[in-house]
Amino acid sequence: MKLQRMNRRALTLGALAVSGALALTACGSDDTGNTNGGGSSASASNNSAIKCDGAKGQLQASGSSAQKNAIDAWVKAYTAACKDVQINYNPTGSGAGVTAFTQGQTAFAGSDSALKPEDAAAAKKACAGNAAVDLPMVGGPIALGYNVDGVDNLVLDSATIAKIFDGKIKTWDDAAIKKLNPDAKLPSTKIQAFHRSDESGTTDNFTKYLIATAPSDWKYSGGKAWQAKGGQSAQGSSGLAQQVKQTPGAISYFELSYAADGINTVDLKTDAATPVKASVENATKAISTAKVVGTGNDLALELNYKPTAEGAYPLTLVTYEILCEKGNKADTLAATKSFLTYIASEDGQNQLTAAQYAPIPAEIITKVRSTISNLG
C-alpha cells in the first residue's frame, strides 16, 4: 500500500449508515467486456442524488472485477439520469486497471489495493506532475466458494485454507478438514483450487489475510499476482465463480456478490467462539476497525485481518477508485466528477447492500466526497 509511515495516523472507522437501500438490477455484461449503461429519456430531476452538471461524452475506466456488480448498478442509475454520458467500465483486474490509468488510457482505475510507490510515481506522469489519490468506494467480504457434493456447511481456518491453496491438502476428506467439520460427510474427492490468472487486488487481499493469520503455512510475499505453485486459474472473479459452479471438488475466492447464484461459502474459524459466515454485516464489523494510512487527500486504508470481535468476518477488501487529484483530462473531468459524486453519495452507497457489498463508513466517505468536489 501507499504508506508514509512517519505521518501515519490511525483513524477508527465509524459505523456504517445503511438506510433505505435501493435495489437495482445490474446491467448485463460479462467479466471481460465493457459495462455500458446506455442513455435514457429520464432526467436528472427524477433523482436528486444524481447531478449531471453539464457532463457529456464517453468516460473510460477499467480495473477491479470485484466491484463490477456495484459499478453495473451505479452506471444504470447514473446514465438513466445523465443521458449525455456513456460510461465504459472494463473489469480487467486491478493490476491491468492501474496500468491503463498510469498510461493515460482511462479517467480512473478501480483497484482492490491502494497504489504502491512505484505505481504512484508512474501515475504522476498521467496526472501532469500531480499526485494520484486512492478513494475507498466499495467494501465487502471475500467469500470462499466451494463445490463439494453433500456438504452444505463447511468450516475452515486460515492454516487449512493456506495448505489447500498451496497444494498441501489434496482431498476433501483430509484429517485437517475432518477435524474442523466432525459432523460433515466429507468425500474423498480431489480438491480443485482455483486462483486468478490476472493480476488482482482480490488475490492481494486474500494472500494478505493468509500472511497475517497463517504465516507458518503461507510462505509467499503476496501481491496482485498469484505466487503459489499448482492449482488452476481463471480470469476475473466471475471466471472463478463459474469454475466453482461447474467443477466438482472446486474451491476459490471471490467477492460475495459472485456467490449469490447458488454457490456455498465457507465459514471461517477465527479466535472467536463461533465460526463466522461471509456476509456484508460480518465484513462490516471487521472493516470498521481499519486504519487510514494515506496522507493528505489520499485515503488508503490498512485492513485488520485479525479482528477480535465476535461475528467479525476477517477476509475482506476495499476497492478504491484511483484518479488524479489535479491534472485530470479536461474533456472527461466533468463526467468523472459527476459520476464519482453520485457513487459516493448516500444514495449511491446505499445501493451497495442490495448487491452484497458494504458501504464505506460515514467518516471516511465524507472525506471522499470532499476530495471529489475539489478535483481539478
Side-chain angles (χ1 to χ4, degrees), residues 51-284:
K51 301 186 184 302
C52 304
D53 293 329
K56 59 183 178 180
Q58 288 195 358
L59 190 62
Q60 303 290 340
S62 66
S64 165
S65 65
Q67 69 170 352
K68 173 191 172 292
N69 294 334
I71 290 284
D72 281 353
W74 281 332
V75 168
K76 183 176 182 179
Y78 178 83
T79 54
C82 302
K83 60 183 180 179
D84 292 330
V85 180
Q86 182 181 26
I87 299 175
N88 299 307
Y89 182 81
N90 196 355
T92 53
S94 296
V98 169
T99 297
F101 172 72
T102 59
Q103 292 177 350
Q105 298 172 9
T106 55
F108 66 90
S111 176
D112 307 320
S113 300
L115 284 173
K116 297 188 183 305
E118 59 270 24
D119 293 326
K124 266 196 169 185
K125 296 180 181 179
C127 296
N130 298 285
V133 289
D134 301 287
L135 301 182
M137 201 71 73
V138 180
I142 300 174
L144 286 167
Y146 68 96
N147 181 349
V148 182
D149 188 40
V151 181
D152 295 328
N153 297 288
L154 184 69
V155 175
L156 296 175
D157 59 17
S158 58
T160 305
I161 294 167
K163 292 173 185 175
I164 287 173
F165 280 88
D166 199 24
K168 303 294 177 57
I169 292 178
K170 300 182 183 297
T171 61
W172 282 107
D173 61 351
D174 186 273
I177 302 176
K178 282 185 174 180
K179 184 177 179 180
L180 291 164
N181 301 272
D183 298 327
K185 295 182 179 179
L186 295 165
S188 59
T189 306
K190 180 181 178 181
I191 294 174
Q192 306 282 355
F194 284 88
H195 57 266
R196 289 281 287 270
S197 60
D198 52 319
E199 289 198 357
S200 161
T202 311
T203 294
D204 192 14
N205 283 278
F206 175 53
T207 55
K208 281 178 179 175
Y209 161 73
L210 296 178
I211 291 167
T213 59
S216 62
D217 296 297
W218 193 259
K219 301 293 188 179
Y220 305 97
S221 60
K224 292 186 178 75
W226 185 257
Q227 296 173 326
K229 306 301 181 184
Q232 301 179 66
S233 64
Q235 173 83 21
S237 293
S238 68
L240 293 181
Q242 182 179 8
Q243 289 297 331
V244 169
K245 286 194 69 173
Q246 68 187 28
T247 308
I251 185 170
S252 191
Y253 57 92
F254 36 76
E255 298 66 45
L256 183 60
S257 63
Y258 288 94
D261 191 18
I263 296 176
N264 289 323
T265 60
V266 170
D267 295 350
L268 294 183
K269 180 74 172 71
T270 67
D271 290 336
T274 305
V276 186
K277 293 188 178 296
S279 72
V280 170
E281 294 77 14
N282 291 342
T284 293

